[in-house]
């Protein structure tokens, strides 16, 4: 496995991330493209997980939206292509990103989890807070973790 990151919305890493997000969120979950690709794309750090050096197929992605003060980050757009789910790729990507956030001296990370994904994030040490809310017509709950 290989994990790559970028802030460059013209890079191949970003394009691969968008392909995964389009497949998972737009096609599978019917999220409108206008909500999936938003004003924060250029401010985010985009990550992809590729299978290996020979097969540069990206199978999992997420983005981090850092706060202005550099102490908090919001993890968003966590997605893995259907044939690769349940194999630990998103878990590995999340561990990498949590290490990255810690190395960059972030203090708190939050995310908005779809309800079925809560156990996945709880295994990574996230705790739910607040009420269930709708995002793109899908039920979510806010979760946080001190890094």
């Amino acid at each position: 496995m290989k994990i790559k990151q970028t802030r460059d919305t013209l890079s191949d890493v970003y394009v691969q991330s968008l392909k995964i997000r389009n497949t998972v969120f737009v096609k599978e979950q019917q999220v409108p493209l206008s909500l999936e690709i938003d004003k924060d794309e250029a401010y985010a750090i985009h990550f992809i997980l590729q299978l290996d050096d020979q097969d540069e197929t990206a199978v999992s992605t997420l983005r981090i939206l850092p706060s202005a003060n550099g102490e908090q980050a919001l993890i968003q757009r966590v997605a893995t292509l259907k044939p690769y789910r349940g194999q630990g790729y998103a878990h590995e990507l999340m561990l990498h990103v949590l290490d990255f956030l810690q190395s960059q001296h972030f203090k708190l990370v939050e995310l908005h989890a779809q309800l079925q994904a809560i156990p996945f994030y709880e295994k990574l040490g996230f705790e739910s807070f607040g009420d269930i809310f709708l995002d793109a017509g899908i039920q979510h709950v806010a979760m946080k973790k001190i890094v």
Side-chain angles (χ1 to χ4, degrees):
M1 285 182 289
K2 188 173 191 176
I3 296 173
K4 295 181 179 179
Q5 71 185 63
T6 190
R7 285 181 175 257
D8 180 1
T9 57
L10 298 176
S11 73
D12 186 52
V13 169
Y14 178 71
V15 170
Q16 289 184 63
S17 175
L18 281 186
K19 285 180 183 177
I20 295 170
R21 290 167 48 191
N22 186 58
T23 299
V24 173
F25 297 122
V26 177
K27 291 179 181 170
E28 287 179 28
Q29 297 184 353
Q30 305 300 306
V31 172
L33 188 60
S34 61
L35 294 178
E36 177 53 32
I37 299 175
D38 64 14
K39 63 178 177 31
D40 294 325
E41 296 296 325
Y43 304 106
I45 306 168
H46 304 270
F47 290 80
I48 59 170
L49 182 143
Q50 295 176 323
L51 294 179
D52 58 48
D53 290 334
Q54 285 72 39
D55 180 4
E56 292 192 347
T57 302
V59 300
S60 193
T61 190
L62 62 77
R63 77 177 191 185
I64 299 170
L65 192 57
S67 66
N69 67 10
E71 293 184 2
Q72 296 180 328
L74 184 63
I75 294 176
Q76 301 176 307
R77 309 305 201 267
V78 181
T80 300
L81 294 172
K82 196 175 227 173
Y84 302 97
R85 292 180 194 154
Q87 298 177 46
Y89 296 123
H91 183 81
E92 286 300 315
L93 183 56
M94 285 291 296
L95 289 176
H96 175 88
V97 167
L98 291 170
D99 285 346
F100 169 81
L101 290 169
Q102 190 172 37
S103 75
Q104 299 298 308
H105 309 291
F106 284 86
K107 293 178 173 44
L108 179 71
V109 61
E110 293 185 9
L111 55 84
H112 300 154
Q114 293 184 14
L115 298 189
Q116 77 274 7
I118 292 171
F120 170 78
Y121 294 116
E122 287 176 337
K123 288 178 188 170
L124 291 162
F126 284 85
E127 296 179 359
S128 301
F129 68 95
D131 296 326
I132 294 172
F133 61 94
L134 288 179
D135 185 3
I138 301 168
Q139 289 187 317
H140 286 73
V141 68
M143 300 186 81
K144 64 183 175 182
K145 176 183 174 83
I146 295 172
V147 287

